[in-house]
Amino acid sequence: MKKKEKYKFQSEVKQLLHLMIHSLYSNKEIFLRELISNASDAIDKLRFKSISSPEEYHNDSDVWINISTNKKNNTLTISDNGIGMNKQEVIENLGTIAKSGTKEFLNVLGQKGKKDHQLIGQFGVGFYSSFIVSTKVVVRTRAAKNKENTGIQWESSGDGEYTIDEIVKKEKGTEIILFLKPEEIEFLDTWKIRNIVNKYSDHIAAPVKIFNYDEQKKIGTWDQINKAKALWTLKKSDITKEEYKEFYKHITHDFNNPIIWSHNHVEGTHEYISLLYIPEKATWDIWNRENKHGLKLYVKRVYIMDDAEQFLPNYLRFVRGLIDSNDLPLNISREILQANSITQNLRQGITKRILQMLEKLANTDHKKYKIFWNQFGLVLKEGPAEDTINKSVIANLLRFSSIRTNSPEQILSLSNYVKNMIPGQEKIYYITSDSYLSANSSPHLEFFRKKGIDVLLLSDRIDEWMMNYLTEFQEKKFQSINKNDESLNKLIDENEKKETYSETENENFIKKIKEILKDQIKDVRLTYRLIDTPAIVLTDSNEMTTQMAKLFSAAGQTVPPIKYIFEINPNHILVKKIMNLNNDVLLNEWIQLLLEQALLAEKGNLDDPNKFIHRMNKLLIN
Ligand code: ADP
Ligand code: MG
C-alpha cells in the first residue's frame, strides 16, 4: 500500500471554512442535515446509475444512512451505501470548491464585509460544515463502481491541509467520522440526534437509522428515526406546514422559510407531482447570467437531476422545488429534456400553477405579497416580454408607484389604477425616468395632478423595456406622458385656454421661436397642460423616449439624437414677459434658456451645462 499523501486545500476552501465557522456558530446543528443530505444524494445517484447503466452498477434494494456514536472517543459517524468516491473524486469534492458559483459568492462576501455573513445560509454550506463541531474529520469511502475491497481515507483538521490514504473497505459507500470538539459532545446524545433528524431530514427518501445499545439486554439495534417517505408523494392533508417548510430547507439549503408553496398531484395527459416554493429572499446570484436555477427533477420517484431549468420560464427563475414525472424516460439528459414535448407541456402547467399561486397570495395576503414583490418584482417584470400567453395574468401581478400612492414603494396594481380612472379618461398613463424622485417631480405631471388623473411612476431600468410589451390592460391602452398624445386635449376644458394674446400674436411668437431654434427641435407649439413650468419637451408618438435612448446608449449602442417637440405655456408669467420683449438678442437668449431648462428636466443632464449656466447668469444680471 502507498504511503499517506499530504495535500493543501484550495485557498477558497480555507476562506469558506473560516467564514462558516464564524458565521454559523449559532446554528451548528445544521452540519448533520448537510451530511445526511449528502448521503441521501449519494444513494439517489447510485439508484439512478443502476438504472441508466445496470451493467456497471448493482442496484441495492436495501439502502440506508446510519448514524452511530462512540462516547469514549467522542466520535459521531454517518455512513451510507451510496455511490461513494474514488481518489480523484475525493480530491475534487473534498479539497476544492468546484462550483464556480461558490467562488463568486465568496468574492461577493469578501467585498461586502461582515454584515452579509448570513448570506452563507443561502447556498449549500455542505460537507465543510462538519468542521463547525469537529477538531478532526475522517472520510472513508469506496466508489460503488469499484468491485474490490479498496477505498480511500481522507483526513483533515480543517486547518489548510488534508491527507489521503488507501484503505480496505468492505462495503461501497461513504463513512464520515467526526471527532467532536470537547464543547460539542452534546451531539453524541441520541435524543439530540433524533430531534435534529426529525427537524431537518424526516422526509428524505432513504431511511436514517441510529444505533441503540440496550445496556440491560446487552444487545444493539438499528432504529429508523425518520419517516423516509418522499414528502411530495404524500397527500396534502397528511403534511403539516412545518413539514413543508423543513422540506424546503432540505432541498434548497436556504435558512429562511418559503413565503408560500403549491403542491399538486396532476393527472390527465401527463401525470406528475409538482411541489413549488416561493422563497422569502432572492439568492445572491439572481442577476448573474449563469445563475443556477430550476427544479429538482425526479422520474417515478427516482432522482434525476438538480436545476432542471427547462421547467421554468426565466422570469420565474426564483421559484424552487421539484417535479416528479411519471412519463419522462429515466435515462433523460439535459439536452433531450430541452427538446422533449412532455417537458414543454409540464412547463406550461407549472408556469400556470406558479402564476395562480402568486395571484392567490396577492389577493389574500398583502403583507407577504409585498415581501415577494420587493424581492422578485424586478424579475417578474421580465414576464410580459418573455411570456406572451400569460401576459395579462402577469400584468395583474405587477405593482407600481404612482402620483396617488405618493411613495417610492411599489404597491399599486393595474386593476386598482383602472378603478380610479376619472370620467373621460381612456388610457393608463405612465412616465419613465431614472429615479422615483425625478419621475415624481417631472413637469409632465402638472396637468395630471391638476386633473386628478393618476400616473404610474416608472424608474426601474427594466420598465421602459417592459412597457414595450405591455400595451394594454383591461382594454385600456398604456400611454407614456413623455410622448406626444393628442387624446389629452379632450381632457382640457375650453375655458382653460384663456389667453392674454390674440391668435396672430401667438402665431407670430411661435414663428419667432422656430426661427431662433431652427433644427434644434422638431416642432414648437403652445400648451395648456402646464401650470408652474414655462416649457417642456416631448418626443413624438412614433419616436423613442428619452429613457429608452438612455438605456440604449448605456448598453453601448449609438442612438441618433432625439428631436423633441418644444411646448410653451403661454399662461406662465415668464413666458408672458418674454413675449413682450422688443430686443431680439435678449429674446434669443431667453428662448434658448427655456429650451435648456426643458431639456434638463427631461433628460437630467445637458450636452453643454456650462453654456446653460453662463446664459442664465447673464440673464439674471440683466
Ligand atoms: P453539495 O452537496 O452541494 O455538492 P457538499 O459540500 O455537501 O456540496 O459536498 C461536496 C461533494 O462531495 C458532493 O457534491 C459529492 O460529490 C461529494 N460527497 C459528499 N458527501 C458524499 C457522500 N456521502 N457520498 C458520496 N459523495 C459525497
Ligand atoms: Mg451537500
Side-chain angles (χ1 to χ4, degrees):
M1 200 174 281
K2 275 198 220 152
K3 258 183 49 196
K4 240 189 207 185
E5 295 171 337
K6 255 192 195 169
Y7 291 84
K8 279 196 165 51
F9 280 124
Q10 185 193 25
S11 61
E12 281 91 352
V13 176
K14 281 197 265 179
Q15 202 184 341
L16 178 68
L17 279 170
H18 179 83
L19 266 173
M20 201 149 49
I21 290 164
H22 292 277
S23 37
L24 291 176
Y25 53 85
S26 58
N27 203 0
K28 292 172 182 169
E29 62 187 27
I30 54 110
F31 80 89
L32 194 54
R33 173 187 77 186
E34 295 295 331
L35 295 181
I36 291 175
S37 154
N38 284 349
S40 152
D41 288 350
I43 288 168
D44 277 350
K45 281 180 199 159
L46 178 57
R47 189 180 296 151
F48 174 61
K49 283 283 185 196
S50 68
I51 293 166
S52 57
S53 13
E55 52 307 326
E56 282 178 290
Y57 294 87
H58 171 68
N59 184 19
D60 288 284
S61 47
D62 184 27
V63 298
W64 40 260
I65 299 169
N66 284 349
I67 302 178
S68 60
T69 57
N70 180 327
K71 290 192 175 148
K72 262 192 232 131
N73 304 336
N74 288 349
T75 59
L76 177 64
T77 302
I78 294 106
S79 56
D80 63 69
N81 63 345
I83 190 129
M85 287 176 271
N86 62 28
K87 182 173 167 186
Q88 193 54 32
E89 288 164 337
V90 168
I91 293 172
E92 261 163 38
N93 296 332
L94 309 183
T96 64
I97 298 176
K99 289 165 276 186
S100 62
T102 310
K103 282 189 199 170
E104 259 174 59
F105 170 79
L106 285 170
N107 288 338
V108 175
L109 270 189
Q111 288 156 14
K112 289 198 179 167
K114 277 191 180 161
K115 253 212 233 140
D116 281 354
H117 279 191
Q118 274 187 341
L119 269 177
I120 201 162
Q122 288 194 7
F123 83 125
V125 285
F127 168 76
Y128 298 111
S129 66
S130 16
F131 287 101
I132 303 174
V133 294
S134 315
T135 54
K136 185 168 84 173
V137 177
V138 174
V139 178
R140 297 162 54 82
T141 184
R142 177 179 143 193
K145 215 174 170 178
N146 177 7
K147 300 282 182 283
E148 278 155 42
N149 282 348
T150 55
I152 295 295
Q153 175 159 315
W154 177 102
E155 197 178 316
S156 175
S157 309
D159 51 5
E161 282 181 351
Y162 61 92
T163 59
I164 295 246
D165 220 351
E166 282 177 17
I167 52 162
V168 173
K169 191 171 185 298
K170 286 207 194 91
E171 292 197 75
K172 66 169 174 288
T174 304
E175 185 178 77
I176 297 184
I177 307 158
L178 307 181
F179 291 77
L180 296 177
K181 294 178 182 169
E183 67 270 26
E184 307 296 353
I185 52 167
E186 54 169 342
F187 291 112
L188 295 175
D189 179 48
T190 313
W191 280 108
K192 176 98 185 169
I193 296 170
R194 273 175 189 264
N195 277 335
I196 303 174
V197 171
N198 285 341
K199 186 164 160 196
Y200 298 113
S201 315
D202 222 12
H203 284 293
I204 61 161
V208 178
K209 296 176 184 175
I210 191 162
F211 191 70
N212 247 334
Y213 188 72
D214 190 319
E215 292 288 344
Q216 283 171 338
K217 292 183 192 157
K218 302 270 182 248
I219 44 164
T221 48
W222 286 101
D223 297 346
Q224 184 172 328
I225 52 175
N226 69 335
K227 291 206 180 87
K229 189 148 190 326
L231 178 95
W232 66 94
T233 60
L234 305 178
K235 276 200 299 202
K236 281 201 240 185
S237 52
D238 292 343
I239 308 172
T240 65
K241 277 188 183 171
E242 278 317 309
E243 287 172 322
Y244 274 120
K245 288 182 191 168
E246 277 317 324
F247 188 72
Y248 166 79
K249 292 179 184 173
H250 164 66
I251 60 171
T252 61
H253 300 283
D254 187 352
F255 277 33
N256 304 295
N257 283 317
I259 301 185
I260 188 174
W261 54 87
S262 165
H263 181 196
N264 301 285
H265 295 251
V266 182
E267 282 160 16
T269 354
H270 296 297
E271 256 179 54
Y272 65 93
I273 303 170
S274 60
L275 176 52
L276 308 162
Y277 289 96
I278 308 289
E280 197 174 83
K281 284 228 165 71
T283 50
W284 61 276
D285 61 349
I286 190 134
W287 295 108
N288 187 332
R289 260 170 197 275
E290 270 127 58
N291 130 301
K292 276 212 177 132
H293 63 273
L295 304 176
K296 252 183 193 304
L297 173 65
Y298 290 77
V299 171
K300 300 190 188 80
R301 320 292 171 261
V302 177
Y303 164 81
I304 306 292
M305 65 177 82
D306 282 319
D307 311 316
E309 73 275 11
Q310 293 83 351
F311 295 99
L312 292 177
N314 239 316
Y315 72 96
L316 297 177
R317 61 181 175 274
F318 50 83
V319 174
R320 315 291 295 269
L322 64 86
I323 173 155
D324 186 346
S325 159
N326 274 353
D327 311 306
L328 286 169
L330 276 163
N331 59 356
I332 195 152
S333 67
R334 273 184 201 273
E335 293 68 39
I336 300 176
L337 203 53
Q338 188 74 44
N340 192 298
S341 70
I342 300 177
T343 309
Q344 299 313 319
N345 198 294
L346 300 196
R347 174 185 163 122
Q348 276 172 22
I350 287 168
T351 303
K352 288 237 153 60
R353 299 261 171 211
I354 297 168
L355 295 175
Q356 276 165 11
M357 160 163 69
L358 290 175
E359 255 184 330
K360 189 176 139 202
L361 188 69
N363 294 333
T364 55
D365 194 331
H366 294 279
K367 231 164 113 186
K368 281 193 178 162
Y369 194 75
K370 212 157 111 183
I371 297 176
F372 160 76
W373 182 258
N374 289 338
Q375 287 293 314
F376 303 113
L378 279 177
V379 186
L380 198 69
K381 281 179 174 183
E382 296 171 12
E386 189 185 346
D387 187 352
T388 38
I389 301 173
N390 292 304
K391 201 148 84 170
S392 60
V393 186
I394 300 166
N396 243 322
L397 295 171
L398 301 174
R399 294 294 179 270
F400 298 91
S401 293
S402 80
I403 296 184
R404 194 185 294 269
T405 65
N406 195 24
S407 139
E409 228 183 333
Q410 300 172 355
I411 49 170
L412 179 70
S413 68
L414 290 174
S415 58
N416 276 338
Y417 178 97
V418 170
K419 270 185 211 146
N420 281 322
M421 281 169 59
I422 66 159
Q425 182 184 348
E426 291 165 4
K427 298 180 178 177
I428 299 173
Y429 295 104
Y430 70 93
I431 182 167
T432 48
S433 191
D434 286 338
S435 66
Y436 168 77
L437 277 182
S438 71
N440 193 34
S441 64
S442 165
H444 290 292
L445 295 178
E446 285 180 2
F447 170 76
F448 296 88
R449 286 216 160 91
K450 180 168 132 198
K451 291 281 166 188
I453 300 172
D454 203 5
V455 176
L456 306 175
L457 308 175
L458 304 185
S459 55
D460 288 326
R461 278 178 74 94
I462 191 173
D463 287 337
E464 184 72 50
W465 183 65
M466 173 180 74
M467 294 315 288
N468 276 339
Y469 295 89
L470 210 60
T471 45
E472 261 186 37
F473 180 79
Q474 295 181 358
E475 286 159 35
K476 308 274 185 294
K477 289 219 157 34
F478 285 95
Q479 172 70 48
S480 160
I481 67 167
N482 308 80
K483 282 191 174 186
N484 184 28
D485 172 23
E486 300 298 339
S487 77
L488 273 186
N489 295 333
K490 287 191 207 162
L491 294 163
I492 299 176
D493 296 337
E494 278 310 308
N495 59 12
E496 279 176 293
K497 296 190 182 172
K498 58 173 167 30
E499 278 167 34
T500 358
Y501 299 94
S502 73
E503 215 146 289
T504 26
E505 277 173 314
N506 282 338
E507 269 169 30
N508 283 339
F509 183 49
I510 290 200
K511 227 168 93 191
K512 271 191 192 160
I513 299 176
K514 279 187 182 161
E515 276 162 21
I516 291 168
L517 295 177
K518 295 199 184 77
D519 55 0
Q520 281 177 269
I521 40 137
K522 185 163 185 177
D523 197 9
V524 181
R525 59 191 178 212
L526 299 183
T527 181
Y528 302 93
R529 285 161 37 194
L530 296 173
I531 300 156
D532 298 325
T533 305
I536 49 168
V537 289
L538 295 162
T539 45
D540 211 350
S541 46
N542 54 358
E543 272 200 84
M544 207 184 258
T545 60
T546 310
Q547 195 57 16
M548 191 56 131
K550 274 190 192 175
L551 290 182
F552 272 116
S553 48
Q557 306 219 27
T558 40
V559 268
I562 299 173
K563 280 272 170 80
Y564 288 101
I565 299 168
F566 185 44
E567 289 196 342
I568 299 252
N569 170 8
N571 294 325
H572 194 277
I573 176 164
L574 192 56
V575 176
K576 284 181 185 166
K577 180 184 156 180
I578 296 168
M579 280 177 95
N580 279 331
L581 284 174
N582 291 323
N583 179 337
D584 276 355
V585 182
L586 215 50
L587 177 70
N588 179 49
E589 290 294 309
W590 273 112
I591 296 296
Q592 294 285 1
L593 185 77
L594 286 187
L595 176 63
E596 281 164 342
Q597 283 187 353
L599 286 170
L600 185 57
E602 178 70 13
K603 302 200 295 182
N605 60 33
L606 286 173
D607 295 341
D608 189 347
N610 270 321
K611 201 161 144 195
F612 166 69
I613 292 167
H614 283 302
R615 199 192 311 281
M616 186 156 69
N617 289 346
K618 204 157 93 190
L619 290 169
L620 282 173
I621 299 164
N622 198 279

